Every structure is written in structure tokens, then in C-alpha cells.
Amino acid sequence: MRTDTLTDEVRRRLTDGGLRGSLLVRNLRTGEEVGVDPDTVLPSASLVKIPLAVATFERVRRGELDGAAPLDVAPGRSTAPGPTGLTRFRHPARIAVEDLLYLSTCLSDERAADTLFGLTPPAHVTSLLREFGIHGISVRHTVDELGDTPVERFDPAQAHLAHALAIDAGTGGRGHRVPQLDTTRANTGSARAWADLLQELWAPTALHPRVAEAVRGLMLHNVLRHRLTPDFASDATTWWSKTGTLLNLRHEIGVVEHADGDAYAVAVLTESLVPAAVQPGADALMGQAARTLRDHLRHV
């Protein structure tokens, strides 16, 4: 199938399933890539924890931070569905910097991430990304702000109302009445920019190899594996990943390595047009779309 015909078909399937997306799959060995609207910029949600990990490991490498230093962390005491780790703790804890990185990246723990942002603020994370040649990802605020959205103000039975607001309150210029969805104020990136970061992590040119290896190690142990993992994990492949979810946004980025040596960066960013909190069909559709693009590259 011609590439343009394939991408049109993938876009149609996403639309039929109530999703609008920015997708890119890139062969990390050859540089060949195929995507659907890969330059569309979307809020990053929890994907921002990957740049945070890059910045933190880099500062440890430079001697600016001590990875073994224990930090006192206040409990999150969250009662809302979804949050994990320290975000749900009831009592204070003392945890080392590198263990906070595990919690932030592998469990997507918001309290752990914000403790790390206390050491390396968002503007510093962005400046380090620019230093490493990554220009399409912007980090503007901490993760704590992601927990202050309309969904937290509605009764769980009315979560669909928050999602309806997320869907309908945007502007043509990708502004939004919900600040976390406004691309001029939110943490943002496109599928192409996230693929660029993955490429730097797998084949470092500006990033120190030790830092890249440390971040890859965290992505290998990501425990949230309900979205793209079913389409990329097998006995003949290894899948590294990070998810991001916020209101009607569902994202995942990762790299799939095959036993024959091929490796592909995968970035799938989507926004749902269906006002519902739980949409397993959307997660499955994301995986199918990404797998279709990867298969096309692998067999072209």
C-alpha cells in the first residue's frame, strides 16, 4: 500500500473511533519514518516525566545533585481514581532522588515528579533539552497542576461533563479554557519532537550515554502497559515506554526493538472526541494504529 493511502486509512480509523491524533513511527537505524499529522502540538500530560528524568540524571552526572540523597516527601493523600505511589500515601516518607525517579517514571507518580521538579524547575528542564538539541518539547509547569482540572471538581458519576468541557472548550488556535489543555501554557510536544527525544536516548549525540542508558532503564520498567504494549510486546521484541493521560488526552511514546536488530521509535498522541473517562477501545485503537505504521515501515 502507498504510504499516503495508508496514513489516510489510519487517520480515518482514528476518526471513526472518536480520536484525533499526532503519530510518528521512525526506524532508528535508517531514519525512515511514517506519521499522521506528526507536527501537531499537544499538551504532554505525564510524558513530561521523561524530560524530567533526563534533566535529573544529567544533573546527577554533573555533580549538581546526589542521586543517593534522601528527601522528605509530604504525602499526596489523593482519593481520586488514578494516581499512584506517593500521590496516594497517607504519611510522610523519606526517599532518595534516584528512587523518586523510579516512582515518577515507572509508576507515573505525580508527588515524586513534583519533588524532583523542586530540585530542577520546569524552565531548567527545558533549557537542558535545548542544550541537547531537542527543540519541540516545552516544559512550563509542574505535574501538580495536572491534578487541578474540572474532573476533580465533579462527582465521579459526572466525569463525562469534565470530558465534554475538555472536548468543546478549545479554540481554533489550540488555546483552551482549561489551562492544562492550552498549548500556549501547558507542557507540550508533537509526535515528531517526542520521536526526536527517543532517538537521542537510543543513539546519543549530545546527551551523555550514561544518562541515556539510565532513562532507557526506567522506560523498560514502566508498569503502565495497557495502551500500546499489547501490540508491541512479544518474545521476539522488547518494548520501552511511557504513557500520559489527562482528561481527554491519551498518549504513549516508546521504542520497540526486534530480535533481528531493528528498532523503531513510536510516538502516539491523541485527544478523544468522546465524553467518557473510561475508553479501553481508544487505547486499543491507538495500539492498532501505531502497529500498522510500524508494520508498513518494517516491510516496505
Side-chain angles (χ1 to χ4, degrees), residues 84-100:
T84 59
L86 296 168
T87 309
R88 305 198 76 86
F89 272 31
R90 311 303 297 171
H91 307 285
R94 175 167 286 191
I95 302 175
V97 169
E98 289 186 353
D99 291 331
L100 287 168

Side-chain angles (χ1 to χ4, degrees), residues 7-17:
T7 55
D8 286 345
E9 173 63 17
V10 169
R11 186 183 289 107
R12 184 192 64 76
R13 290 182 202 166
L14 291 170
T15 301
D16 289 348

Side-chain angles (χ1 to χ4, degrees), residues 41-45 141 145-146 149-150 162-163 165-171 173-188 245-249 251 271:
V41 174
L42 289 172
S44 301
H141 61 73
E145 296 182 39
L146 300 181
T149 70
H163 286 261
L165 176 63
I167 294 165
D168 296 333
T171 70
R174 304 209 68 82
H176 208 285
R177 288 169 57 191
V178 178
Q180 297 89 339
L181 301 180
D182 185 334
T183 56
T184 67
R185 293 187 280 175
N187 301 324
T188 57
T245 308
L246 175 68
L247 290 172
N248 66 323
L249 301 179
H251 306 330
E271 47 188 354

